[in-house]
Amino acid sequence: MPDPSFNPSKVTQLCASDLRLTVDASALGFGDTSELVQCALPWIGQERAQQAARFGLSVVQPGYNLFVLGEVGTGRSTLMNQLMAEVAQQRPVPPDLCYLHHFETPEQPRALRMGQGQGRVFRQLMTQFSKSLQSQIPKRLSAPDVKAKNDALQSAYKAQEDEAYAALTAYAQARHFGLLRDEGRLVFTLKNDKGEPVTANQSLALSPEKQLEVDKAEDALLNEINRFLAKSQAMERDLNEKLSALRRQMVKPLLKRETQAVMDGLQQKISDDSAKDVFKLGIYLDQVQHDVLENLELFIPTPDDEARLEALESVLSRFRVNLVVDNHDLVGAPVILEDNPLFHNLFSSIEYETYDDVLVTDFSRIRAGSLLKAHGGFLMLHLHDLLSDEPVWGKLRRFLRSGRLQIEEPGMAAAPIAAVSLRPEVVQVDVKIILIGSIEAYYAVQDADPETAERFRCKVDFAETFKATSESNRSIAIFVAHTCRRLGLLHFSAAAVAALIEETHREAEDQTHQSAIFASTEALVIESSVMAQSLGSACVQPQDVRAAKLARIRRHNYPEEQLQEMVVSGERLLTVTGERVAQVNGLTVLDLGDYQFGFPIRITACTHAGEEGLLNIEREVKLSGPIHDKGVLIFHSYLSVLFSHIAPLAFNASVVFEQEYSGVEGDSASCAEFYALLSSLSGLPLKQSIAITGAMNQHGEMLPVGGINEKIEGYFRSCELLGFDGQQGVLMPSRNRQHLMLDPHIVDAVKRGQFHIYTAERVSDGMSLLTGVAFGSRETGAYPPETVLGHVQKTLEDYRRACDRVGVGHRQKPAAEDVPS
């Protein structure tokens, strides 16, 4: 059983020096931050994270992607970017990536990796290649030697055709037919013995025997004409083939020279490429030559030159190089920060255009995303952005599994009009992903998707606070110096930096630790510089930091001022003088997201005889959270332990936060609620000048709470508005002592004796402070009647007798059931 004996020495009244850490500016070792701009910016208080990050970035094996944990504002993105850039400088520059036309299956463009800067050279060489062909091929084919060979082939063909036509003409004449060429057609007519054409009337006048003879001769001539036409077509095909072969023969040396020029232009770096890519390049250039030879006629001017040029442009467009990743000016490995990881931004995209109501595209419309650009280097992403877009998160998980990227355009299957789709060649992407997320998100991903979590084997945990040292103070000064230089701000004096350092302790709510949320510090640096500039100062001083902080509070504290005005007007009940039974001032913190402040609230209790036990009114109306309900159950359990010798207890009690309508959460008011209940049971009045904050356990020990500075400051403002009487103050757990970083205005008030801060180890000590009566301890089976617990014991015994008189059962419910569920 706990020892609740009263010992006044256990309640400590703090002096002004205990209420706030003061940083000695002279110990910082500089005059102003302009002296520190050349110092390297350290990872302030993040040595563990820096060690883990450097290790993860140096591991080249797959699966060692980095998951960076930490709160927003800890510098996780900035510091990781800084380290990635540093490590990337030591890595080789990755190759360029090109997409080329696939001559066999155009819907599957080829991917080709080339050494740094080689893609740009290749693109220029292929552009020059196309231009050279357009000018050189017509010249070569119109050269005298080519023209002579061409004429010889044409003459040979003409002679053969004339010979065949002469034979056909003789054949027709032998059968009394005349033969005539008319615009490529052969027309024959029957002739009489005089060689004149037979008219229609003469033909009708022929005897049946003569007509039959003419018909047979005509059929024979038609057969002979067909044979002649077939032979002529064969000779024409042979001529065209010979002409085409001649053109090919004449152009091949030119093509080989031009493709060799391309290879020579790449030769200085081609040894850097993999054998596979060199082989693919050779095959591609061979296919380009073949495609040119297949379309040589398009290079020859014709009367319909517009149609020819359009067709030629279509052929030449196949020789372009789509350089999707160009690393020609890169030093080291790439470092990509993707702040907008939409599907096409991350995984690349294919652009389309409408042509005749059809969406069309080709290899030249492939655009690289962040993953392709980060090949060989680092890519930073924010987990929150990915989880909000399921298609992106799903594809990224598949990519992490294989390391291979298939470029696709999602939704094209459901396009409202017909579309020509592409399926570019899959590429292997070697990239280390740095994923930024919160601690909650990290463990949520681990739980929901263990396979993906396995791909992030390196955890980089950014701390929210770190232990304060002289080195950390200097590091903060360097941070301020870098911020001033980067943003063009006024530099800070050493005293102003000391004021900023004190604010980092306030942010951390700890005199021994500092906050690692440097986004807040940077904002204060900016605002302090603005304040100093408005006064025409050349350097930021401590008063500028103080003014900037007050201005920030002023921009956010309108809700707080409204509540304090309601206290002054009496609309919200608050008594800060005198004594009251079953009434105590508790302290709460209201968090508005961008601003939090403390505010006092009246807590009252009511007790009477009965068997229901303790009623938590907030819980009954669903205005309390589980942590608050737990606190109520704990102090009720402690009460049951204190009076186990007279159990079962027979009382009904209720505890309530007066004028609280938005809900209560947390157990930091459990001590105050316990005091209100004990006061109601004992009849002893409580000092209204002392507000209470603190949680408690089942052994009566006071436990530390959060928001201690805001709570004290909120009560101080109320007392200041209502008027000091020299008795007001706050009782808090002694374990919160190191968390004090109170406003200097309160420190001065404590120094003058206007306000007081008390600490206690146990709730018993606090009750004695509030009542001026010893808490009490059991020595002979009961508590001494003059103690707090003696008074409570007497009341509980009276309640028991009252219940006995009216026949109420003596069953005592277990502690867990004393608060109705």
Side-chain angles (χ1 to χ4, degrees):
M1 176 178 176
D3 178 14
S5 61
F6 170 64
N7 185 345
S9 65
K10 292 183 181 180
V11 175
T12 303
Q13 182 174 351
L14 301 183
C15 60
S17 61
D18 297 322
L19 306 182
R20 182 180 179 87
L21 173 71
T22 302
V23 177
D24 182 7
S26 63
L28 295 178
F30 61 90
D32 64 63
T33 53
S34 63
E35 303 170 22
L36 306 175
V37 292
Q38 300 305 321
C39 299
L41 182 63
W43 285 47
I44 310 172
Q46 304 293 356
E47 290 77 12
R48 179 200 303 270
Q50 184 180 26
Q51 213 171 36
R54 193 174 290 278
F55 169 79
L57 293 177
S58 65
V59 177
V60 296
Q61 279 72 21
Y64 280 87
N65 297 299
L66 283 71
F67 202 122
V68 182
L69 292 70
E71 292 301 315
V72 176
T74 54
R76 53 190 185 170
S77 299
T78 302
L79 293 174
M80 285 302 305
N81 186 35
Q82 174 184 307
L83 183 59
M84 286 189 296
E86 176 189 332
V87 174
Q89 294 294 313
Q90 313 304 319
R91 289 196 169 195
V93 179
D96 297 342
L97 176 63
C98 304
Y99 272 98
L100 309 173
H101 177 73
H102 196 305
F103 291 94
E104 296 174 359
T105 52
E107 67 277 7
Q108 297 178 1
R110 292 182 181 275
L112 179 67
R113 292 200 183 274
M114 312 187 80
Q116 179 192 10
Q118 211 169 352
R120 175 172 289 213
V121 173
F122 184 38
R123 182 175 62 185
Q124 294 171 343
L125 289 170
M126 290 305 295
T127 300
Q128 184 58 43
F129 173 83
S130 296
K131 291 180 179 179
S132 180
L133 292 185
Q134 291 182 79
S135 61
Q136 294 299 320
I137 289 179
K139 290 181 181 179
R140 184 69 189 104
L141 294 181
S142 61
D145 59 329
V146 179
K147 191 172 184 308
K149 292 179 180 179
N150 187 74
D151 290 344
L153 289 174
Q154 294 278 9
S155 297
Y157 165 74
K158 189 70 169 63
Q160 285 182 315
E161 187 188 37
D162 288 346
E163 181 182 350
Y165 184 73
L168 178 62
T169 301
Y171 184 88
Q173 289 175 350
R175 288 158 180 75
H176 304 287
F177 286 98
L179 193 62
L180 178 66
R181 285 183 174 179
D182 183 16
E183 296 182 356
R185 297 180 301 165
L186 291 176
V187 180
F188 60 90
T189 58
L190 180 65
K191 293 187 177 182
N192 57 25
D193 295 339
K194 296 178 179 181
E196 296 174 348
V198 176
T199 65
N201 292 332
Q202 291 173 341
S203 178
L204 292 173
L206 294 177
S207 63
E209 294 80 4
K210 185 63 176 177
Q211 185 65 50
L212 181 59
E213 182 183 343
V214 170
D215 290 342
K216 287 182 179 179
E218 185 177 327
D219 290 340
L221 178 58
L222 285 172
N223 289 334
E224 196 64 26
I225 288 174
N226 288 334
R227 280 193 293 271
F228 168 78
L229 291 175
K231 184 177 181 180
S232 295
Q233 290 171 355
M235 288 190 296
E236 187 175 3
R237 284 196 300 270
D238 182 58
L239 172 64
N240 289 335
E241 289 175 1
K242 288 179 179 179
L243 290 174
S244 178
L246 174 63
R247 288 195 294 266
R248 287 169 176 266
Q249 183 182 357
M250 296 297 105
V251 171
K252 272 185 179 179
L254 171 63
L255 278 176
K256 288 185 178 179
R257 185 171 68 248
E258 293 298 329
T259 53
Q260 188 60 47
V262 174
M263 295 298 290
D264 290 344
L266 298 171
Q267 193 63 45
Q268 56 181 343
K269 293 184 179 180
I270 204 167
S271 59
D272 298 336
D273 298 327
S274 66
K276 176 183 177 182
D277 289 323
V278 173
F279 180 70
K280 288 171 68 174
L281 177 60
I283 291 178
Y284 172 74
L285 291 176
D286 288 343
Q287 291 176 331
V288 167
Q289 292 185 63
H290 178 75
D291 199 41
V292 172
L293 293 174
E294 287 296 311
N295 294 280
L296 279 177
E297 68 280 357
L298 297 177
F299 290 86
I300 304 171
T302 63
D304 187 9
D305 219 37
E306 184 177 347
R308 178 191 69 85
L309 290 175
E310 184 177 347
L312 178 60
E313 176 61 27
S314 177
V315 171
L316 295 177
S317 68
R318 300 199 284 260
F319 308 154
R320 296 173 186 162
V321 175
N322 183 8
L323 180 57
V324 295
V325 179
D326 183 5
N327 292 325
H328 80 281
D329 58 351
L330 194 64
V331 178
V335 176
I336 305 294
L337 281 67
E338 183 53 78
D339 291 323
N340 188 28
L342 301 176
F343 196 96
H344 60 274
N345 286 351
L346 189 57
F347 301 112
S348 307
S349 61
I350 303 171
E351 296 178 351
Y352 288 80
E353 69 174 355
T354 305
Y355 182 78
D356 287 344
D357 295 330
V358 175
L359 290 174
V360 296
T361 188
D362 60 26
F363 75 98
S364 66
R365 296 179 179 274
I366 299 172
R367 302 290 178 260
S370 299
L371 274 173
L372 285 183
K373 293 176 182 177
H375 172 70
F378 309 116
L379 173 62
M380 181 184 290
L381 299 167
H382 287 266
L383 179 61
H384 176 74
D385 297 333
L386 301 174
L387 293 179
S388 62
D389 192 336
E390 180 53 37
V392 170
W393 179 238
K395 188 171 178 69
L396 181 63
R397 287 160 51 202
R398 294 190 293 275
F399 167 76
L400 288 170
R401 187 183 306 129
S402 66
R404 291 162 58 83
L405 179 62
Q406 171 68 67
I407 299 175
E408 57 187 339
E409 198 67 21
M412 288 309 297
I417 60 176
V420 176
S421 61
L422 291 184
R423 189 172 179 81
E425 182 180 354
V426 175
V427 291
Q428 194 76 27
V429 180
D430 177 19
V431 60
K432 190 175 289 290
I433 295 178
I434 292 83
L435 201 56
I436 308 293
S438 65
I439 297 173
E440 295 79 9
Y442 171 75
Y443 290 107
V445 168
Q446 272 200 334
D447 184 56
D449 192 356
E451 181 183 357
T452 299
E454 278 296 306
R455 311 296 175 188
F456 292 88
R457 294 178 179 170
C458 187
K459 182 174 78 167
V460 181
D461 203 346
F462 274 73
E464 295 181 51
T465 63
F466 54 89
K467 190 170 182 59
T469 63
S470 57
E471 290 78 12
S472 68
N473 286 346
R474 181 170 179 81
S475 296
I476 291 174
I478 294 172
F479 167 79
V480 175
H482 279 254
T483 301
C484 293
R485 180 180 63 175
R486 175 169 53 86
L487 301 178
L489 306 175
L490 295 178
H491 279 285
F492 279 58
S493 68
V497 172
L500 284 173
I501 292 172
E502 291 175 10
E503 285 305 312
T504 65
H505 284 277
R506 171 58 186 256
E507 289 282 338
E509 288 196 335
D510 200 313
Q511 295 184 15
T512 63
H513 285 71
Q514 294 168 293
S515 170
I517 312 297
F518 283 99
S520 177
T521 304
E522 182 178 284
L524 188 55
V525 169
I526 295 171
E527 294 163 18
S528 301
S529 177
V530 171
M531 287 292 177
Q533 283 179 319
S534 68
L535 298 174
S537 303
C539 190
V540 179
Q541 300 299 332
Q543 59 268 26
D544 300 316
V545 177
R546 173 70 175 166
K549 183 181 178 183
L550 291 176
R552 179 189 294 180
I553 292 173
R554 178 68 176 169
R555 292 193 297 270
H556 293 85
N557 74 341
Y558 179 64
E560 179 184 11
E561 287 189 352
Q562 282 186 308
L563 288 174
Q564 293 289 3
E565 288 174 3
M566 293 169 68
V567 169
V568 174
S569 68
E571 187 176 348
R572 287 189 70 96
L573 301 180
L574 182 68
T575 303
V576 296
T577 58
E579 296 181 344
R580 296 285 179 87
V581 175
Q583 177 177 306
V584 70
N585 292 325
L587 299 177
T588 62
V589 172
L590 282 75
D591 192 344
L592 305 180
D594 58 352
Y595 180 68
Q596 64 177 21
F597 62 92
F599 189 76
I601 189 167
R602 176 179 290 182
I603 299 173
T604 60
C606 182
T607 58
H608 56 88
E611 65 167 0
E612 297 299 327
L614 179 62
L615 175 68
N616 177 5
I617 293 179
E618 267 74 27
R619 181 184 180 186
E620 290 300 307
V621 296
K622 296 181 173 57
L623 281 178
S624 67
I627 298 177
H628 176 258
D629 294 340
K630 178 182 178 182
V632 173
L633 291 173
I634 286 173
F635 83 69
H636 185 254
S637 173
Y638 179 55
L639 181 68
S640 299
V641 170
L642 289 174
F643 297 99
S644 59
H645 61 289
I646 59 172
L649 303 180
F651 75 99
N652 290 348
S654 61
V655 179
V656 67
F657 284 67
E658 301 287 355
Q659 295 182 288
E660 174 55 52
Y661 310 110
S662 59
V664 178
E665 177 58 316
D667 60 356
S668 64
S670 57
C671 284
E673 292 174 290
F674 181 63
Y675 293 151
L677 180 62
L678 286 185
S679 175
S680 178
L681 289 171
S682 66
L684 297 173
L686 301 175
K687 295 177 181 178
Q688 300 300 294
S689 57
I690 300 177
I692 313 299
T693 183
M696 61 180 288
N697 63 18
Q698 292 188 103
H699 303 292
E701 296 172 312
M702 293 186 73
L703 305 179
V705 295
I708 188 68
N709 295 291
E710 288 81 4
K711 290 174 179 177
I712 294 174
E713 289 168 358
Y715 185 61
F716 176 84
R717 292 188 190 102
S718 296
C719 293
E720 188 175 37
L721 291 170
L722 294 173
F724 289 121
D725 67 355
Q727 302 299 314
Q728 287 105 346
V730 170
L731 172 65
M732 69 177 201
S734 59
R735 293 174 178 83
N736 271 125
R737 185 169 176 170
Q738 74 179 53
H739 303 141
L740 292 176
M741 281 297 296
L742 293 172
D743 187 281
H745 185 45
I746 299 180
V747 177
D748 291 340
V750 170
K751 190 178 298 184
R752 294 192 302 268
Q754 286 182 313
F755 201 73
H756 311 278
I757 308 294
Y758 303 96
T759 66
E761 292 278 347
R762 304 182 61 82
V763 293
S764 56
D765 305 326
M767 189 62 183
S768 298
L769 174 67
L770 294 174
T771 61
V773 178
F775 193 67
S777 62
R778 272 198 303 132
E779 298 175 356
T780 59
Y783 293 110
E786 70 278 5
T787 63
V788 173
L789 296 184
H791 287 282
V792 174
Q793 177 179 273
K794 182 178 182 304
T795 300
L796 291 175
E797 289 172 342
D798 291 342
Y799 286 170
R800 166 66 60 76
R801 285 191 291 271
C803 290
D804 289 343
R805 284 196 300 270
V806 296
V808 175
H810 295 165
R811 181 181 60 85
Q812 174 67 34
K813 297 182 180 180
E817 296 180 357
D818 283 339
V819 177
S821 59

